[in-house]
Coordinates of all heavy atoms in Angstrom, one line a residue:
M1 N -81.9 147.7 54.6 CA -80.9 146.8 54.9 C -79.8 146.8 53.8 O -80.2 146.7 52.6 CB -81.5 145.4 55.0 CG -80.5 144.3 55.3 SD -81.3 142.8 55.9 CE -81.9 142.1 54.3
S2 N -78.6 146.9 54.1 CA -77.5 146.9 53.1 C -77.0 145.5 52.8 O -77.0 144.7 53.7 CB -76.4 147.9 53.6 OG -75.8 147.3 54.7
I3 N -76.4 145.4 51.6 CA -75.9 144.1 51.3 C -74.4 144.1 51.6 O -73.7 145.0 51.2 CB -76.1 143.8 49.8 CG1 -77.6 143.7 49.5 CG2 -75.4 142.6 49.3 CD1 -77.9 143.6 48.0
S4 N -73.9 143.1 52.3 CA -72.5 143.1 52.6 C -71.7 142.7 51.4 O -72.2 142.1 50.4 CB -72.2 142.1 53.8 OG -72.5 140.8 53.4
N5 N -70.3 142.9 51.5 CA -69.5 142.5 50.4 C -69.5 141.0 50.2 O -69.3 140.5 49.1 CB -68.0 143.0 50.6 CG -67.9 144.4 50.4 OD1 -68.7 145.0 49.7 ND2 -66.9 145.1 51.0
K6 N -69.7 140.2 51.3 CA -69.7 138.7 51.1 C -70.8 138.3 50.2 O -70.7 137.3 49.5 CB -69.8 138.1 52.5 CG -69.8 136.6 52.5 CD -69.9 136.0 53.9 CE -69.9 134.5 53.8 NZ -70.1 133.9 55.1
D7 N -72.0 139.0 50.3 CA -73.1 138.6 49.4 C -72.8 138.9 48.0 O -73.5 138.3 47.1 CB -74.4 139.4 49.9 CG -74.8 138.9 51.2 OD1 -74.6 137.8 51.6 OD2 -75.5 139.7 51.9
K8 N -71.9 139.7 47.6 CA -71.6 140.0 46.3 C -70.5 139.1 45.7 O -70.0 139.3 44.6 CB -71.2 141.5 46.1 CG -72.3 142.4 46.5 CD -71.8 143.9 46.4 CE -72.9 144.8 46.8 NZ -72.5 146.2 46.7
Q9 N -70.0 138.2 46.5 CA -68.9 137.3 46.0 C -69.4 135.9 45.8 O -70.3 135.5 46.5 CB -67.8 137.3 47.0 CG -67.1 138.7 47.2 CD -65.9 138.6 48.1 OE1 -65.7 137.7 48.8 NE2 -65.1 139.7 48.0
R10 N -68.8 135.3 44.7 CA -69.2 133.9 44.4 C -68.0 133.1 44.2 O -66.9 133.6 43.9 CB -70.1 133.9 43.1 CG -71.4 134.7 43.3 CD -72.3 134.0 44.3 NE -73.6 134.7 44.4 CZ -73.9 135.5 45.3 NH1 -73.1 135.8 46.3 NH2 -75.1 136.1 45.3
K11 N -68.1 131.8 44.2 CA -67.0 130.8 44.0 C -67.1 130.2 42.6 O -68.1 129.7 42.2 CB -67.2 129.7 45.1 CG -66.1 128.7 45.1 CD -66.3 127.7 46.2 CE -65.2 126.7 46.3 NZ -65.4 125.7 47.4
C12 N -65.9 130.2 42.0 CA -65.8 129.6 40.7 C -65.9 128.1 40.8 O -65.1 127.5 41.6 CB -64.5 130.1 40.0 SG -64.2 129.2 38.4
V13 N -66.7 127.4 40.0 CA -66.8 126.0 40.1 C -65.6 125.3 39.4 O -65.4 124.1 39.6 CB -68.1 125.4 39.5 CG1 -69.3 125.9 40.3 CG2 -68.3 125.8 38.0
G14 N -64.8 126.1 38.6 CA -63.7 125.5 38.0 C -62.4 125.5 38.9 O -61.8 124.5 39.0
C15 N -62.1 126.6 39.5 CA -60.9 126.7 40.3 C -61.1 126.8 41.8 O -60.2 126.7 42.6 CB -60.0 127.9 39.8 SG -60.8 129.5 40.1
G16 N -62.3 127.2 42.2 CA -62.7 127.3 43.6 C -62.3 128.7 44.2 O -62.5 128.9 45.4
I17 N -61.8 129.6 43.4 CA -61.5 130.9 43.9 C -62.7 131.8 44.1 O -63.6 131.8 43.2 CB -60.5 131.6 43.0 CG1 -59.2 130.8 43.0 CG2 -60.2 133.1 43.4 CD1 -58.1 131.4 42.0
I18 N -62.8 132.5 45.2 CA -63.9 133.4 45.5 C -63.6 134.8 44.9 O -62.5 135.3 45.2 CB -64.2 133.5 47.0 CG1 -64.7 132.1 47.4 CG2 -65.3 134.5 47.2 CD1 -64.8 132.0 48.9
K19 N -64.5 135.3 44.1 CA -64.3 136.6 43.5 C -65.6 137.4 43.5 O -66.7 136.8 43.7 CB -63.9 136.5 42.0 CG -62.6 135.8 41.7 CD -62.3 135.8 40.3 CE -60.9 135.2 40.0 NZ -60.7 135.2 38.5
P20 N -65.5 138.7 43.2 CA -66.8 139.5 43.1 C -67.6 138.9 41.9 O -67.0 138.6 40.9 CB -66.3 140.9 42.8 CG -64.9 141.0 43.3 CD -64.4 139.6 43.1
R21 N -68.9 138.8 42.1 CA -69.7 138.2 41.0 C -69.7 139.0 39.7 O -70.0 138.4 38.7 CB -71.1 138.0 41.5 CG -72.0 139.2 41.7 CD -73.4 138.8 42.2 NE -74.1 140.0 42.6 CZ -75.1 140.1 43.3 NH1 -75.7 139.0 43.7 NH2 -75.7 141.2 43.6
E22 N -69.4 140.3 39.8 CA -69.3 141.1 38.5 C -68.1 140.6 37.7 O -68.1 140.9 36.5 CB -69.1 142.6 38.8 CG -70.3 143.2 39.5 CD -70.3 142.9 41.1 OE1 -69.3 142.7 41.6 OE2 -71.4 143.0 41.7
D23 N -67.1 139.9 38.3 CA -65.9 139.5 37.5 C -66.1 138.0 37.1 O -65.1 137.4 36.7 CB -64.7 139.6 38.4 CG -64.4 141.0 38.8 OD1 -64.9 141.9 38.1 OD2 -63.7 141.2 39.8
M24 N -67.3 137.5 37.1 CA -67.5 136.1 36.7 C -68.6 135.9 35.7 O -69.5 136.8 35.6 CB -67.8 135.3 38.0 CG -66.7 135.4 39.1 SD -67.0 134.5 40.5 CE -66.3 132.9 40.0
I25 N -68.6 134.8 35.1 CA -69.6 134.4 34.2 C -70.7 133.6 35.0 O -70.4 132.7 35.8 CB -69.1 133.4 33.1 CG1 -68.0 134.0 32.3 CG2 -70.3 132.9 32.2 CD1 -67.3 133.0 31.4
K26 N -71.9 134.0 34.8 CA -73.0 133.4 35.6 C -73.8 132.6 34.6 O -74.3 133.1 33.5 CB -73.9 134.4 36.2 CG -75.1 133.8 37.0 CD -76.0 134.9 37.6 CE -77.1 134.3 38.4 NZ -78.0 135.3 38.9
I27 N -74.0 131.3 34.9 CA -74.8 130.4 34.0 C -76.0 130.0 34.9 O -75.9 129.5 35.9 CB -74.1 129.2 33.6 CG1 -72.8 129.6 32.8 CG2 -74.9 128.3 32.7 CD1 -71.8 128.5 32.6
T28 N -77.2 130.3 34.4 CA -78.5 130.1 35.1 C -79.4 129.2 34.4 O -79.6 129.4 33.2 CB -79.2 131.4 35.5 OG1 -78.3 132.2 36.2 CG2 -80.4 131.1 36.3
K29 N -80.0 128.2 35.0 CA -81.1 127.4 34.5 C -82.3 127.9 35.1 O -82.5 127.8 36.3 CB -80.8 125.9 34.9 CG -82.0 125.0 34.4 CD -81.8 123.6 34.9 CE -83.1 122.8 35.0 NZ -82.9 121.6 35.7
V30 N -83.3 128.4 34.3 CA -84.5 128.9 34.8 C -85.4 127.8 35.3 O -85.5 126.7 34.7 CB -85.3 129.6 33.7 CG1 -86.6 130.1 34.1 CG2 -84.5 130.7 33.1
S31 N -85.8 127.9 36.6 CA -86.5 126.8 37.3 C -87.8 126.4 36.6 O -88.2 125.2 36.6 CB -86.8 127.2 38.7 OG -87.5 128.4 38.8
Q32 N -88.6 127.3 36.0 CA -89.9 127.0 35.4 C -89.8 126.4 34.0 O -90.5 125.5 33.7 CB -90.7 128.3 35.4 CG -91.0 128.8 36.8 CD -91.6 130.1 36.8 OE1 -91.5 130.9 35.8 NE2 -92.3 130.5 37.9
T33 N -88.8 126.9 33.2 CA -88.8 126.5 31.8 C -87.6 125.5 31.5 O -87.6 124.8 30.5 CB -88.6 127.7 30.9 OG1 -87.4 128.4 31.1 CG2 -89.8 128.6 31.0
G34 N -86.6 125.6 32.4 CA -85.4 124.7 32.1 C -84.4 125.3 31.1 O -83.4 124.7 30.8
E35 N -84.7 126.6 30.6 CA -83.8 127.2 29.7 C -82.5 127.6 30.4 O -82.5 127.9 31.6 CB -84.4 128.5 29.1 CG -85.6 128.2 28.2 CD -86.2 129.6 27.7 OE1 -87.0 130.1 28.4 OE2 -85.7 130.0 26.7
I36 N -81.4 127.6 29.6 CA -80.1 128.0 30.1 C -79.7 129.4 29.6 O -79.8 129.7 28.4 CB -79.0 127.0 29.7 CG1 -79.4 125.6 30.1 CG2 -77.6 127.4 30.2 CD1 -79.3 125.3 31.6
F37 N -79.3 130.3 30.5 CA -78.9 131.6 30.1 C -77.5 131.9 30.7 O -77.1 131.5 31.8 CB -79.8 132.7 30.7 CG -81.2 132.7 30.1 CD1 -82.2 132.0 30.7 CD2 -81.4 133.4 29.0 CE1 -83.5 132.1 30.2 CE2 -82.7 133.5 28.4 CZ -83.7 132.8 29.0
V38 N -76.7 132.6 29.9 CA -75.3 133.0 30.3 C -75.4 134.5 30.6 O -75.9 135.2 29.8 CB -74.3 132.7 29.2 CG1 -72.9 133.2 29.6 CG2 -74.3 131.2 28.9
N39 N -74.9 134.8 31.8 CA -74.9 136.2 32.3 C -76.3 136.8 32.2 O -76.5 137.9 31.6 CB -73.9 137.1 31.5 CG -72.5 136.8 31.8 OD1 -72.2 136.3 32.9 ND2 -71.6 137.0 30.9
P40 N -77.3 136.2 32.8 CA -78.6 136.8 32.9 C -78.7 138.0 33.8 O -77.8 138.1 34.7 CB -79.5 135.6 33.4 CG -78.5 134.9 34.3 CD -77.2 135.0 33.6
D41 N -79.7 138.8 33.7 CA -79.9 139.9 34.7 C -80.4 139.3 36.0 O -80.7 138.1 36.1 CB -80.8 141.0 34.1 CG -82.2 140.5 33.7 OD1 -82.6 139.4 34.2 OD2 -82.8 141.2 33.0
S42 N -80.5 140.1 37.0 CA -80.9 139.7 38.3 C -82.4 139.3 38.4 O -82.9 138.8 39.4 CB -80.6 140.7 39.3 OG -81.3 141.9 39.0
K43 N -83.2 139.5 37.3 CA -84.6 139.2 37.3 C -84.9 137.8 36.9 O -86.0 137.3 37.0 CB -85.3 140.1 36.4 CG -85.3 141.6 36.8 CD -86.0 142.5 35.8 CE -85.9 143.9 36.3 NZ -86.4 144.9 35.3
I44 N -83.8 137.0 36.5 CA -84.0 135.6 36.1 C -83.6 134.8 37.3 O -82.5 134.9 37.9 CB -83.1 135.3 34.9 CG1 -83.6 136.1 33.7 CG2 -83.2 133.8 34.6 CD1 -82.8 135.9 32.5
F45 N -84.5 133.9 37.8 CA -84.3 133.1 38.9 C -84.2 131.6 38.5 O -84.8 131.2 37.6 CB -85.5 133.2 39.9 CG -85.6 134.6 40.5 CD1 -86.6 135.5 40.0 CD2 -84.8 135.1 41.4 CE1 -86.7 136.8 40.4 CE2 -84.9 136.4 41.9 CZ -85.9 137.2 41.4
G46 N -83.3 130.9 39.3 CA -83.1 129.5 39.0 C -81.8 129.1 39.6 O -81.2 129.8 40.4
R47 N -81.3 127.9 39.3 CA -80.1 127.4 39.7 C -78.9 128.0 38.9 O -79.0 128.1 37.7 CB -80.0 125.9 39.6 CG -81.1 125.1 40.4 CD -80.9 123.7 40.4 NE -79.7 123.2 41.1 CZ -79.6 123.0 42.4 NH1 -80.6 123.2 43.2 NH2 -78.4 122.6 42.9
S48 N -77.9 128.5 39.6 CA -76.8 129.2 38.9 C -75.4 128.6 39.3 O -75.3 128.1 40.4 CB -76.8 130.6 39.3 OG -78.0 131.3 38.8
V49 N -74.5 128.7 38.4 CA -73.1 128.4 38.6 C -72.3 129.6 38.1 O -72.7 130.4 37.3 CB -72.6 127.1 37.9 CG1 -73.3 125.9 38.4 CG2 -72.7 127.2 36.4
Y50 N -71.1 129.8 38.7 CA -70.2 130.9 38.4 C -68.9 130.4 37.9 O -68.4 129.4 38.5 CB -70.0 131.8 39.5 CG -71.3 132.6 39.9 CD1 -72.3 132.1 40.7 CD2 -71.5 133.9 39.4 CE1 -73.4 132.8 41.0 CE2 -72.6 134.6 39.7 CZ -73.6 134.1 40.5 OH -74.7 134.8 40.8
L51 N -68.3 131.0 36.9 CA -67.0 130.6 36.3 C -66.2 131.9 36.2 O -66.7 132.9 35.8 CB -67.2 130.0 35.0 CG -67.8 128.6 34.9 CD1 -68.2 128.2 33.5 CD2 -66.9 127.5 35.5
C52 N -64.9 131.7 36.3 CA -64.0 132.8 36.0 C -63.9 133.1 34.5 O -64.3 132.2 33.8 CB -62.5 132.5 36.5 SG -62.3 132.3 38.3
Y53 N -63.5 134.2 34.1 CA -63.4 134.6 32.7 C -62.1 134.0 32.1 O -61.3 134.8 31.6 CB -63.5 136.1 32.5 CG -64.9 136.6 32.4 CD1 -65.4 137.3 33.5 CD2 -65.7 136.5 31.3 CE1 -66.7 137.8 33.5 CE2 -66.9 137.0 31.2 CZ -67.4 137.7 32.3 OH -68.7 138.2 32.3
N54 N -61.8 132.8 32.3 CA -60.6 132.2 31.6 C -60.9 130.8 31.2 O -61.7 130.1 31.8 CB -59.3 132.3 32.5 CG -59.4 131.5 33.7 OD1 -59.6 130.3 33.7 ND2 -59.2 132.1 34.9
Q55 N -60.2 130.4 30.2 CA -60.5 129.1 29.5 C -60.2 127.9 30.4 O -60.9 126.9 30.4 CB -59.6 129.0 28.2 CG -60.0 127.8 27.4 CD -59.3 127.9 26.0 OE1 -58.5 128.7 25.8 NE2 -59.7 126.9 25.2
S56 N -59.2 128.0 31.3 CA -58.8 126.9 32.1 C -59.9 126.5 33.1 O -60.2 125.4 33.4 CB -57.5 127.1 32.8 OG -57.6 128.2 33.7
C57 N -60.6 127.5 33.7 CA -61.7 127.3 34.6 C -62.9 126.6 33.9 O -63.5 125.7 34.4 CB -62.1 128.6 35.3 SG -60.9 129.2 36.5
I58 N -63.1 127.1 32.7 CA -64.2 126.5 31.9 C -63.9 125.1 31.6 O -64.8 124.2 31.7 CB -64.5 127.4 30.7 CG1 -65.0 128.8 31.1 CG2 -65.5 126.7 29.7 CD1 -65.1 129.8 29.9
E59 N -62.7 124.8 31.1 CA -62.3 123.4 30.8 C -62.4 122.5 32.0 O -62.8 121.4 31.9 CB -60.9 123.4 30.2 CG -60.9 124.0 28.8 CD -59.5 124.2 28.2 OE1 -58.5 123.8 28.9 OE2 -59.4 124.6 27.0
K60 N -61.9 123.0 33.2 CA -62.0 122.2 34.4 C -63.4 121.8 34.8 O -63.7 120.7 35.2 CB -61.3 122.9 35.6 CG -59.8 122.9 35.5 CD -59.3 123.7 36.7 CE -57.8 123.9 36.7 NZ -57.3 124.7 37.8
A61 N -64.3 122.8 34.7 CA -65.7 122.6 35.0 C -66.4 121.6 34.1 O -67.2 120.8 34.5 CB -66.5 123.9 35.0
F62 N -66.0 121.6 32.8 CA -66.5 120.6 31.9 C -65.9 119.2 32.1 O -66.6 118.2 32.1 CB -66.3 121.0 30.4 CG -67.3 122.1 29.9 CD1 -66.8 123.3 29.6 CD2 -68.6 121.8 29.8 CE1 -67.7 124.3 29.1 CE2 -69.5 122.7 29.4 CZ -69.1 124.0 29.0
K63 N -64.6 119.2 32.3 CA -63.9 117.9 32.5 C -64.5 117.2 33.7 O -64.7 115.9 33.7 CB -62.4 118.2 32.7 CG -61.6 116.9 32.8 CD -60.1 117.3 32.9 CE -59.3 116.0 32.9 NZ -57.9 116.3 33.1
K64 N -64.8 117.9 34.8 CA -65.4 117.2 36.0 C -66.9 117.2 36.0 O -67.5 116.8 37.0 CB -64.8 117.9 37.2 CG -63.3 117.8 37.4 CD -62.8 118.4 38.6 CE -61.3 118.2 38.7 NZ -60.8 118.9 39.9
N65 N -67.5 117.7 34.9 CA -69.0 117.7 34.8 C -69.7 118.4 35.9 O -70.8 118.1 36.2 CB -69.4 116.2 34.7 CG -70.6 116.0 33.8 OD1 -70.9 116.9 32.9 ND2 -71.3 114.9 33.9
K66 N -69.1 119.5 36.4 CA -69.6 120.2 37.5 C -70.8 121.1 37.1 O -71.8 121.2 37.9 CB -68.5 121.1 38.1 CG -67.5 120.4 38.9 CD -66.5 121.3 39.6 CE -65.6 120.5 40.4 NZ -64.7 121.4 41.2
I67 N -70.8 121.6 35.9 CA -71.9 122.5 35.5 C -73.2 121.7 35.4 O -74.3 122.1 35.9 CB -71.6 123.2 34.2 CG1 -70.4 124.1 34.4 CG2 -72.9 124.0 33.7 CD1 -69.9 124.8 33.1
V68 N -73.2 120.5 34.8 CA -74.3 119.6 34.7 C -74.8 119.2 36.1 O -76.0 119.2 36.3 CB -74.0 118.4 33.8 CG1 -75.1 117.4 33.8 CG2 -73.7 118.9 32.4
K69 N -73.9 118.8 37.0 CA -74.3 118.4 38.3 C -75.0 119.5 39.1 O -76.0 119.3 39.7 CB -73.1 117.9 39.1 CG -72.6 116.6 38.5 CD -71.3 116.1 39.3 CE -70.7 114.9 38.7 NZ -69.4 114.5 39.3
I70 N -74.4 120.7 39.1 CA -75.0 121.8 39.9 C -76.3 122.3 39.3 O -77.2 122.5 40.1 CB -74.0 122.9 40.0 CG1 -72.7 122.5 40.8 CG2 -74.6 124.2 40.6 CD1 -71.6 123.4 40.8
L71 N -76.4 122.4 38.0 CA -77.6 122.9 37.4 C -78.7 121.8 37.3 O -79.9 122.1 37.0 CB -77.4 123.4 36.0 CG -76.5 124.7 35.9 CD1 -76.4 125.1 34.4 CD2 -77.1 125.8 36.7
K72 N -78.3 120.5 37.6 CA -79.2 119.4 37.5 C -79.9 119.3 36.2 O -81.2 119.3 36.1 CB -80.2 119.4 38.7 CG -79.6 119.3 40.0 CD -80.6 119.3 41.1 CE -79.9 119.2 42.5 NZ -80.9 119.2 43.6
T73 N -79.1 119.3 35.1 CA -79.7 119.3 33.7 C -78.8 118.4 32.9 O -77.7 118.0 33.3 CB -79.7 120.7 33.1 OG1 -80.4 120.6 31.9 CG2 -78.4 121.3 32.9
N74 N -79.3 118.0 31.7 CA -78.5 117.1 30.8 C -78.0 117.9 29.6 O -78.0 117.3 28.5 CB -79.4 116.0 30.4 CG -79.7 115.0 31.5 OD1 -78.9 114.8 32.4 ND2 -80.9 114.4 31.5
I75 N -77.7 119.1 29.8 CA -77.2 119.9 28.6 C -75.8 119.3 28.1 O -75.0 118.9 28.9 CB -77.0 121.4 29.0 CG1 -76.7 122.2 27.7 CG2 -76.0 121.6 30.1 CD1 -76.8 123.7 27.9
S76 N -75.7 119.2 26.8 CA -74.5 118.6 26.3 C -73.3 119.6 26.4 O -73.5 120.8 26.4 CB -74.7 118.3 24.8 OG -74.8 119.4 24.0
A77 N -72.1 119.1 26.4 CA -70.9 119.9 26.5 C -70.8 120.8 25.3 O -70.4 122.0 25.4 CB -69.7 119.1 26.7
E78 N -71.2 120.3 24.1 CA -71.1 121.1 22.9 C -72.0 122.3 23.0 O -71.7 123.4 22.6 CB -71.4 120.2 21.7 CG -70.3 119.2 21.4 CD -70.5 117.9 22.2 OE1 -71.6 117.7 22.8 OE2 -69.5 117.2 22.4
K79 N -73.2 122.1 23.5 CA -74.2 123.1 23.5 C -73.7 124.2 24.5 O -73.8 125.4 24.3 CB -75.6 122.6 23.9 CG -76.6 123.7 23.9 CD -78.0 123.1 24.1 CE -79.1 124.2 24.1 NZ -80.4 123.7 24.3
M80 N -73.2 123.8 25.7 CA -72.8 124.7 26.7 C -71.5 125.5 26.2 O -71.5 126.7 26.4 CB -72.4 124.0 28.0 CG -72.0 124.9 29.1 SD -73.2 126.1 29.6 CE -74.4 125.0 30.4
K81 N -70.6 124.8 25.5 CA -69.5 125.5 24.9 C -70.0 126.6 23.9 O -69.4 127.6 23.8 CB -68.5 124.5 24.3 CG -67.7 123.8 25.3 CD -66.7 122.9 24.7 CE -66.0 122.1 25.8 NZ -65.0 121.2 25.3
G82 N -71.0 126.2 23.1 CA -71.6 127.2 22.2 C -72.1 128.4 22.9 O -72.0 129.5 22.4
L83 N -72.8 128.2 24.1 CA -73.3 129.3 24.8 C -72.2 130.2 25.4 O -72.3 131.4 25.5 CB -74.1 128.8 26.0 CG -75.5 128.2 25.7 CD1 -76.1 127.5 26.9 CD2 -76.4 129.3 25.2
L84 N -71.1 129.5 25.7 CA -69.9 130.3 26.3 C -68.9 130.8 25.3 O -68.0 131.5 25.7 CB -69.2 129.3 27.3 CG -69.9 128.9 28.5 CD1 -69.2 127.8 29.3 CD2 -70.2 130.1 29.4
D85 N -69.2 130.5 24.0 CA -68.2 130.9 23.0 C -67.9 132.4 23.1 O -68.8 133.3 23.1 CB -68.8 130.6 21.6 CG -67.8 130.8 20.5 OD1 -66.6 130.6 20.8 OD2 -68.2 131.2 19.4
G86 N -66.7 132.8 23.3 CA -66.3 134.2 23.3 C -66.4 134.8 24.7 O -66.2 136.0 24.9
K87 N -66.7 134.0 25.7 CA -67.0 134.6 27.1 C -65.7 134.5 27.9 O -65.8 134.9 29.1 CB -68.1 133.8 27.8 CG -69.4 134.0 27.1 CD -70.0 135.3 27.3 CE -71.4 135.4 26.7 NZ -72.0 136.7 26.7
F88 N -64.6 134.0 27.4 CA -63.4 133.9 28.2 C -62.2 134.6 27.7 O -62.2 135.0 26.5 CB -63.0 132.4 28.4 CG -62.8 131.7 27.1 CD1 -61.5 131.7 26.6 CD2 -63.8 131.0 26.5 CE1 -61.2 131.0 25.4 CE2 -63.5 130.3 25.3 CZ -62.2 130.3 24.8
K89 N -61.2 134.8 28.5 CA -60.0 135.5 28.1 C -58.9 134.5 28.1 O -58.9 133.5 28.9 CB -59.6 136.6 29.2 CG -60.7 137.7 29.3 CD -60.3 138.6 30.4 CE -61.4 139.6 30.6 NZ -61.2 140.5 31.8
S90 N -58.0 134.6 27.1 CA -56.9 133.6 27.0 C -55.9 133.7 28.1 O -55.7 134.7 28.7 CB -56.2 133.9 25.7 OG -57.1 133.6 24.6

């Protein structure tokens, strides 16, 4: 069974634009341990959010608290920004 192009696309939680998942930052909360990973490989399972590689999308997602809501976790904005440090383009 082949994977269609739709399955390879994801929606940015910051701007709402649909892009190929290879062009996005993936943030995953592991379901068993609750650990947060940025750009994990496909072997890590859990709740995930996707963001564009630009600062405005990341800021919008934090401002509206979307990452915390989708991942269902209480991670602080400072800790998440530390994880994302250097992951965006100006």
Side-chain angles (χ1 to χ4, degrees):
M1 180 165 77
S2 66
I3 298 174
S4 68
N5 285 338
K6 184 179 178 185
D7 292 335
K8 295 180 183 180
Q9 295 185 345
R10 299 293 183 258
K11 183 177 179 180
C12 174
V13 297
C15 66
I17 295 175
I18 297 172
K19 294 183 178 181
R21 68 177 173 199
E22 295 83 23
D23 297 340
M24 303 183 86
I25 301 169
K26 180 180 180 185
I27 303 170
T28 302
K29 175 185 158 191
V30 178
S31 56
Q32 296 167 339
T33 63
E35 290 180 272
I36 304 289
F37 290 96
V38 177
N39 288 334
D41 60 19
S42 60
K43 295 178 183 176
I44 296 177
F45 297 102
R47 298 188 67 85
S48 297
V49 297
Y50 290 84
L51 292 166
C52 295
Y53 277 101
N54 66 57
Q55 189 172 5
S56 65
C57 288
I58 294 169
E59 288 173 359
K60 284 180 189 176
F62 281 116
K63 186 176 180 181
K64 295 182 179 180
N65 215 17
K66 289 185 174 185
I67 296 172
V68 171
K69 289 176 185 175
I70 294 170
L71 294 180
K72 297 182 179 179
T73 187
N74 290 330
I75 189 167
S76 68
E78 292 81 23
K79 184 173 181 182
M80 184 59 72
K81 285 181 182 179
L83 289 170
L84 292 172
D85 190 31
K87 298 285 183 188
F88 60 86
K89 299 173 186 173
S90 298

